[in-house]
Each structure stands twice: as structure tokens, then as C-alpha cells.
Amino acid sequence: MSALPADLLYGRLLSTAAQHADGSGPPHAGRVRRADGRVQPLPLARWLGPVDDADAAVLERVEGCAIDIGCGPGRHVAALRAAGHPCLGLDLSPVAVEITRGRGADAFRGSVFEHVPGAGAWDTALLLDGNVGIGGEPAALLERARELLAPGGTALAELDPPGAWTGMTRVRLEAPGVVSEWFPWAQVSVDTVAQVAAQAGLEPDWTMRSGHRWFTALRRP
């Protein structure tokens, strides 16, 4: 079985899920497989839906203009725009960018490690839904987030619970009859993020639990 680029398969899964968001047609069967064999479903319906209570709790703490790194189909960007925050979604998937724009929000297709509009001027950078794992090197990602922030700006990251494993792994996306290429990903627990943030030149500000989800704010000095 030949493997597709991850952003291409992700886009296909998003498109299918969006077409059947009203419950018509078969449910999507997208999932993510880790190198150790663990498999989890992709929560595409949640990503395509409105923000939930946990999302809303962390978005209330957004300051000024915000960039959502790995925005997916844009529920956070749309909610922030509705609340009056200037914001921009950033994602590699053209389908994700299109869906985000369809929600009335702004989005830019590209890599966080390449050109990003407004670099050095954002007040808040979002790394939600596990996006602190992008690239498999959290310290490098957080350092890049610091470069995007204005002095005093904050990266809001969603983390794994205390005691959870922290480290890099490899993952791939799967759907019936098709898989993506393997790509690096990382996990960071709430009780290890201070060490990672220090490597990136960011300082922990606050930590919050909302429901079963954990968030932290890392401020650029």
C-alpha cells in the first residue's frame, strides 16, 4: 500500500467529515497510529463543530491579536473573530484553510517554520489540540512561537496531564484502504513543560485544567 503525504490524507478526511457533518452518509473512519502500535480515532467531528466549554475557557484568556498554529478547520479562529480578536489561522492543509475561511475567519496556508505573516507582532500564539507536538521537537516549535510573538506575548499550549509520557514518536494517519507517510510528533505533559519552555526562551505564566484538558501559558519576556 503506497503512502500519501499526511496533509493530503488529512484534507481528504476533513472534507469527507465536513460533507457529512449533518449525520448523513457513513461516518468517517480516520485514525492516527503511533509507532508503538496504539491507535486513536481522529476527533474530526469535534474539530469541525463549535468550540466546547474547555475551548471557551482558554480562549477567554487570549490577549490582543492571535495566531492559531495548526488551526485545522478553524473553530478557535472563528470563535476569536466572533469575540472581536484579530486572528489568523495557519495550517499546511488547503482543505483546512478553505473550511476556516468558510467560517468567516482568516487563514494562511503554510508551515510555521517558514514565512508567517506578522512574525514578531502577535500577542498570542495558540498551540491547542495537541499541536505542541508539531514537528516532533517541542523546544524548537516553542522557540519558533516565541519568534512570532511580540515582547510580552503569550503562547497558549494544550498539554497532556501530569505524569503523562513526554517525548518524540512517529505517527501516521489511516483511513480504509489508505495510510499516510510516517511523520514525527511529540507529547508534552503539564509537569515537564517548564523545562521545554526554558530551552525556547519562554517563561511559564499560568496552568489551567478545564474538564479533562490541561492548558498552560508561556510568556515571552
Side-chain angles (χ1 to χ4, degrees):
M1 183 185 303
S2 59
L4 297 177
D7 60 317
L8 178 58
L9 181 52
Y10 173 61
R12 289 185 182 180
L13 289 167
L14 265 183
S15 181
T16 300
Q19 290 172 19
H20 302 299
D22 60 357
S24 64
H28 77 87
R31 60 186 192 175
V32 59
R33 180 182 297 274
R34 300 180 185 276
D36 62 7
R38 287 182 295 159
V39 177
Q40 294 176 306
L42 282 173
L44 296 178
R46 179 167 70 85
W47 295 343
L48 285 160
V51 295
D52 60 20
D53 290 344
D55 294 321
V58 72
L59 293 182
E60 286 179 356
R61 302 202 178 197
V62 167
E63 302 169 353
C65 59
I67 184 164
D68 187 354
I69 299 169
C71 68
R75 76 186 191 281
H76 299 126
V77 186
L80 286 172
R81 183 180 183 278
H85 286 278
C87 53
L88 177 70
L90 174 67
D91 206 284
L92 282 173
S93 167
V95 175
V97 169
E98 181 181 357
I99 293 174
T100 299
R101 290 173 176 169
R103 297 174 109 157
D106 293 329
F108 176 80
R109 183 190 175 195
S111 167
V112 66
F113 295 106
E114 298 174 357
H115 167 71
V116 175
W122 296 100
D123 298 306
T124 304
L126 300 180
L127 286 165
L128 305 181
D129 294 329
N131 285 344
V132 72
I134 289 173
E137 297 183 11
L141 177 61
L142 290 175
E143 182 176 6
R144 178 55 176 154
R146 179 179 59 79
E147 293 172 351
L148 300 181
L149 291 169
T154 304
L156 300 184
E158 183 169 353
L159 305 169
D160 286 340
W165 175 78
T166 291
M168 190 275 280
T169 185
R170 296 184 69 79
V171 301
R172 74 179 186 190
L173 305 181
E174 299 181 345
V178 63
V179 299
S180 80
E181 299 168 335
W182 291 95
F183 57 96
W185 199 257
Q187 293 177 232
V188 180
S189 68
V190 69
D191 47 0
T192 60
V193 70
Q195 303 165 21
V196 181
Q199 298 176 53
L202 294 171
E203 299 175 351
D205 191 357
W206 51 258
T207 297
M208 177 180 73
R209 180 179 181 179
S210 183
H212 64 281
R213 296 165 66 188
W214 290 82
F215 305 93
T216 193
L218 306 171
R219 192 169 296 275
R220 175 179 173 178

